[in-house]
């Protein structure tokens, strides 16, 4: 047990205890490339699936469908992986566990079973994830409930991101001091959903005005 507690790691704040931690056996570049390939595969498959299901559909709907499929994939599978494995995540070596350990260099709370993050990610995974796929279906069949659901999901994503930023920035730093981890991992990857969420939440208003 003492040897396990002494396992070195690069997470902040200094001294955070991760007794079950095991270092990743894949490089950072390899992990990001493999995750990027998954993103690209979902985007390409969704883009072409919409064309197959609705050949005469609008390009804006095609983009929205593609985004919702990617959002559903990230929420329902990747983020659900964290919720289901948060207690043992630091010692696992599956691709997604290693990705979470890499991301945790910007926020070590993901490896310490932080209560707020578990609750936030659970809502994101099991509420916004399935709803994103439902919205994608509604886009294809042109069901009007799509706009109400889109507003709910987008608002929830924005609210979640605001709370996520605030609970970290207002407390001690959980991020390594290198700018790469803060701006690329912590800020950029979460800000994507804030920007797209704002655009998606405004779309139903535009539809009502027309």
């Amino acid at each position: 047990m003492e040897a396990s507690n002494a396992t070195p790691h690069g997470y902040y704040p200094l001294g955070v205890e991760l007794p079950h931690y095991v270092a990743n056996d894949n490089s950072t570049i390899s992990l990001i490339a493999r995750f990027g390939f998954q993103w690209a595969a979902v985007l390409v498959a969704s883009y072409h699936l919409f064309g197959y299901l609705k050949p005469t559909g609008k390009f804006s709907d095609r983009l929205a469908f593609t985004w919702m499929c990617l959002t559903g994939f990230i929420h329902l599978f990747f983020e659900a992986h964290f919720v289901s494995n948060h207690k043992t995540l630091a010692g696992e070596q599956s691709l997604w566990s290693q990705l979470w350990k890499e991301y945790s260099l910007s926020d070590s709370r993901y490896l310490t079973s932080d209560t707020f993050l578990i609750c936030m990610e659970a809502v994101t995974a099991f509420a916004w994830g399935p709803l994103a796929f439902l919205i994608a279906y509604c886009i294809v069949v042109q069901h009007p409930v799509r706009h109400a659901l889109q507003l709910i999901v987008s608002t929830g994503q924005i609210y979640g991101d605001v709370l996520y930023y605030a609970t970290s920035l207002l407390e001690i730093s959980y991020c390594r001091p290198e700018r790469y981890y803060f701006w690329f991992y912590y800020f950029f990857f979460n800000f994507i959903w804030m920007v797209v969420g704002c655009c998606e939440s405004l779309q139903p208003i535009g539809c009502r005005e027309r």
Side-chain angles (χ1 to χ4, degrees):
M1 180 65 68
E2 291 182 358
S4 178
N5 284 333
T7 302
H9 60 73
Y11 299 97
Y12 274 58
L14 296 175
V16 61
E17 294 186 6
L18 300 173
H20 53 302
Y21 171 76
V22 176
N24 283 345
D25 57 15
N26 282 285
S27 68
T28 299
I29 294 177
S30 173
L31 291 172
I32 293 177
R34 292 163 69 184
F35 196 44
F37 177 80
Q38 291 184 350
W39 278 46
V42 173
L43 288 172
V44 172
S46 302
Y47 185 85
H48 288 289
L49 177 61
F50 183 85
Y52 173 78
L53 296 174
K54 201 168 186 62
T56 59
K58 296 186 296 184
F59 182 68
S60 59
D61 284 344
R62 192 170 193 166
L63 291 180
F65 174 86
T66 302
W67 170 255
M68 284 301 166
C69 287
L70 177 64
T71 295
F73 170 77
I74 296 296
H75 291 342
L76 188 56
F77 298 105
F78 182 62
E79 290 176 274
H81 179 82
F82 161 75
V83 177
S84 301
N85 300 278
H86 65 89
K87 291 183 179 180
T88 59
L89 198 65
E92 296 179 357
Q93 293 288 43
S94 67
L95 173 60
W96 284 356
S97 292
Q98 290 193 56
L99 282 164
W100 276 115
K101 284 192 285 183
E102 178 66 24
Y103 176 80
S104 295
L105 290 168
S106 72
D107 190 344
S108 65
R109 292 178 297 171
Y110 278 95
L111 298 185
T112 59
S113 296
D114 180 82
T115 302
F116 166 74
L117 287 184
I118 295 172
C119 294
M120 182 194 72
E121 293 290 2
V123 172
T124 301
F126 302 119
W128 309 150
L131 282 177
F133 284 118
L134 179 57
I135 293 169
Y137 169 78
C138 290
I139 293 173
V140 173
V141 300
Q142 294 187 317
H143 197 293
V145 75
R146 163 247 179 126
H147 299 294
L149 294 177
Q150 197 168 291
L151 181 61
I152 292 171
V153 171
S154 299
T155 302
Q157 290 173 329
I158 295 170
Y159 182 63
D161 269 344
V162 169
L163 289 180
Y164 175 65
Y165 283 140
T167 55
S168 179
L169 296 177
L170 295 179
E171 297 178 7
I172 59 177
S173 175
Y174 299 96
C175 181
R176 286 189 57 83
E178 294 88 348
R179 293 182 179 181
Y180 170 85
Y181 294 110
F182 179 83
W183 290 110
F184 187 54
Y185 286 6
Y186 178 80
F187 180 80
F188 175 73
F189 276 125
N190 293 285
F191 195 65
I192 293 173
W193 267 264
M194 291 193 71
V195 172
V196 179
C198 288
C199 295
E200 292 290 337
S201 64
L202 292 175
Q203 187 174 357
I205 298 175
C207 291
R208 289 196 298 270
E209 289 176 348
R210 289 195 300 270

